[in-house]
């Protein structure tokens, strides 16, 4: 509990219980709590009874609630939500027995979205993508990571990253952009994967110079890019001072998690096939395991990530939507939390920490993910009786109000 140094706060929320997540374990519960903020930063987190003065003298706006819970704003640390078109037909094909790899090799999958993205101008791409971000925000997500990877040439990758930045400005939320040029091999580079990686490496400094890249990612997989190609791309990222993330070990174990850890990666994502050596490498470098239960669910996978090994070695586990048109058309991070509890048997507390504390860490963000003085004033007021309900309910609207930077956004 810390009192504010300034006599006037911008806002003060009273009457709800707080799940601060400030400690290493537990929800960090504060009954009949108070949350104060100024200039977009939390200035008071604690019991109402310990406020240093009468509420009207502390804040310009005092918000009285009739119960509920406040948590940190959710952080969706892995999305592909900037895209054009949809791929519902592929969903039908998978239900009829076609595999993800069969669809991709037949010209579907990522490349079908590439064609749609290339055909859309920047404004059209924003119009199609913005509602998806709004849906995530309405269900509590105040920070989004958004990847490129459906352009696969310089101008269209740049277009995607520009749209991602515009979404953050439009909605007033945090957006972190990740360059995923090494997502798939475009048709014009068929049979020339090394040459395409060379091209992507050449684009990276220009995109970074425009302020469009916060991190670099790759799809390291048999139908994607090899560990050697990924290593070259990550070397270029490191030369620019950019952190890396990796789509690792989703369909097979190519040592992707260990490769991400070798480069001090923020995260290794998917990780269903990660071996014990990969887990140990992640633990040694502090690389976060990002669990993506939406794709696991839609693809009807059965190979679980090494969850017990992550726990045993102290690897932080984040949870994200993987919102994308082909394998995870998921527009609720809270629903991803529920799927993580159901499929991966995370506890509700683990799922909530995965979508807040650990997700922020997976983006290299130390200023959010928990309710504490000095953190960004990103928080959600939920109509629930206990935080476990966030991993319990299937669907429905539970968020009463969503604040980002101290301003109500949904």
């Amino acid at each position: 509990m810390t009192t504010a140094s300034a006599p006037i706060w911008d806002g003060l929320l009273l009457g709800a219980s707080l799940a601060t997540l400030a400690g290493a374990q537990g929800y960090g519960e504060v009954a009949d709590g108070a949350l104060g903020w100024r200039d977009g930063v939390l200035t008071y987190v604690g019991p109402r009874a310990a406020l240093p003065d009468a509420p009207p003298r502390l804040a310009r706006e005092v918000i009285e609630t009739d119960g509920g819970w406040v948590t940190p704003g959710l952080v969706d640390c892995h999305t592909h939500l900037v895209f054009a078109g949809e791929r519902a037909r592929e969903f039908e094909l998978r239900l009829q027995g076609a595999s993800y790899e069969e669809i991709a090799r037949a010209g579907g999958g990522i490349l079908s979205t590439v064609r749609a993205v290339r055909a859309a101008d920047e404004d059209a791409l924003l119009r199609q993508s913005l509602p998806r971000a709004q849906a995530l925000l309405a269900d509590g997500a105040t920070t989004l990571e958004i990847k490129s990877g459906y352009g696969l040439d310089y101008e269209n990758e740049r277009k995607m990253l520009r749209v991602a930045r515009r979404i953050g400005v439009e909605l007033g939320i945090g957006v972190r952009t990740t360059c995923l040029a090494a997502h798939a091999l475009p048709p014009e580079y068929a049979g020339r994967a090394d040459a395409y990686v060379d091209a992507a490496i050449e684009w990276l400094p220009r995109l970074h110079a425009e302020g469009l890249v916060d991190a670099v990612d790759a799809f390291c997989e048999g139908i994607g890019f090899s560990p050697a190609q990924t290593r070259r791309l990550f070397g270029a990222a490191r030369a620019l001072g950019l952190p890396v993330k990796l789509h690792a070990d989703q369909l097979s174990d190519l040592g992707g998690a260990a490769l991400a850890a070798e480069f001090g990666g923020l995260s290794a994502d998917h990780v269903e096939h990660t071996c014990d050596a990969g887990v140990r490498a992640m633990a040694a470098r502090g690389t976060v395991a990002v669990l993506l239960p939406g794709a696991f669910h839609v693809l009807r996978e059965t190979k679980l990530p090494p969850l017990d090994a992550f726990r045993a070695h102290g690897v932080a586990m984040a949870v994200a939507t993987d919102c994308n048109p082909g394998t995870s058309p998921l527009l609720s991070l809270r629903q991803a939390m529920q799927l993580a509890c159901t499929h991966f048997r995370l506890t509700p507390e683990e799922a909530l920490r995965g979508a807040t504390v650990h997700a922020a860490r997976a983006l290299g963000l130390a200023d959010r993910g928990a309710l504490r003085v000095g953190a960004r004033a990103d928080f959600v007021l939920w109509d629930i009786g206990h935080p476990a309900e966030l991993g319990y309910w299937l669907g429905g609207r539970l968020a009463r109000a969503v604040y980002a930077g101290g301003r109500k956004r949904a």
Side-chain angles (χ1 to χ4, degrees), residues 32 38-40 57 107 137-138 177 180 198 213 224 248 265 305 346 349-350 377 390 406:
D32 191 18
R38 180 172 180 169
D39 296 330
R57 291 194 291 272
L137 170 62
T177 53
L180 181 58
D198 288 340
V213 182
L346 265 62
E349 181 200 331
E350 285 179 319
L390 298 177

Side-chain angles (χ1 to χ4, degrees), residues 32-84:
D32 191 18
L35 205 65
W37 61 93
R38 180 172 180 169
D39 296 330
V41 174
L42 294 176
T43 52
Y44 180 89
V45 180
R48 180 210 293 252
L51 285 169
D53 202 346
R57 291 194 291 272
L58 287 171
R60 296 184 179 93
E61 180 184 16
V62 177
I63 304 162
E64 287 273 3
T65 72
D66 56 351
W69 280 78
V70 173
T71 71
L74 304 185
V75 177
D76 198 344
C77 64
H78 182 130
T79 86
H80 304 255
L81 70 82
V82 170
F83 61 84

Side-chain angles (χ1 to χ4, degrees), residues 17-32:
S17 296
L18 309 180
T20 66
L21 304 178
Q25 292 183 328
Y27 291 110
E29 301 179 21
V30 178
D32 191 18

Side-chain angles (χ1 to χ4, degrees), residues 20-23 72 75 352-362 365 368-370:
T20 66
L21 304 178
V75 177
L352 180 56
R353 286 184 174 272
T356 52
V357 178
H358 300 321
R361 180 176 162 187
L365 298 173
R368 66 201 73 186

Side-chain angles (χ1 to χ4, degrees), residues 96-309:
Q96 293 165 9
S99 72
Y100 178 78
E101 293 190 39
E102 288 169 342
I103 291 170
R105 294 191 188 281
I110 292 169
L111 291 183
S112 65
T113 300
V114 171
R115 292 190 291 271
V117 166
R118 288 181 173 184
D121 65 24
E122 185 174 312
D123 289 338
L125 192 56
L126 177 64
R127 285 195 300 272
Q128 292 191 53
S129 303
L130 190 61
R132 293 186 278 270
Q134 289 170 322
L136 291 167
L137 170 62
D139 212 24
T142 55
T143 299
L144 306 177
E145 185 258 17
I146 302 177
K147 303 178 189 293
S148 66
Y150 294 131
L152 306 187
D153 62 28
Y154 174 73
E155 290 298 337
N156 285 291
E157 288 289 294
R158 178 176 179 268
K159 177 175 67 180
M160 291 188 67
L161 293 166
R162 283 173 55 85
V163 169
R165 289 285 193 234
R166 290 175 65 182
I167 286 171
V169 173
E170 186 86 12
L171 299 183
I173 61 174
V175 167
R176 302 293 285 180
T177 53
T178 298
C179 181
L180 181 58
H183 195 196
L185 192 63
E188 61 267 28
Y189 278 89
R192 298 187 299 129
D194 284 330
Y196 178 69
V197 172
D198 288 340
I201 289 171
E202 191 273 328
W203 306 335
L204 196 54
R206 289 188 280 162
L207 296 171
H208 181 43
E210 281 195 62
L212 295 176
V213 182
D214 295 317
V216 174
D217 195 352
F219 183 35
C220 185
E221 195 56 73
I223 60 171
F225 295 88
S226 71
Q229 290 161 346
T230 301
R231 187 182 302 278
R232 286 203 293 123
L233 180 67
F234 280 6
R238 181 161 60 186
L240 292 170
L242 288 169
V244 300
K245 304 163 67 65
L246 187 63
H247 284 63
D249 308 333
Q250 179 185 9
L251 306 174
S252 61
D253 184 10
L254 296 184
L259 176 59
E262 177 187 335
F263 281 83
L266 292 173
S267 69
D269 303 27
H270 286 292
V271 294
E272 282 92 335
H273 290 263
T274 297
C275 65
D276 190 65
V279 174
R280 291 176 182 273
M282 292 173 67
R285 296 302 298 271
T287 299
V288 176
V290 177
L291 308 179
L292 303 172
F296 185 92
H297 176 79
V298 171
L299 295 174
R300 295 183 296 171
E301 295 287 359
T302 57
K303 174 68 173 174
L304 292 170
L307 303 162
D308 289 340

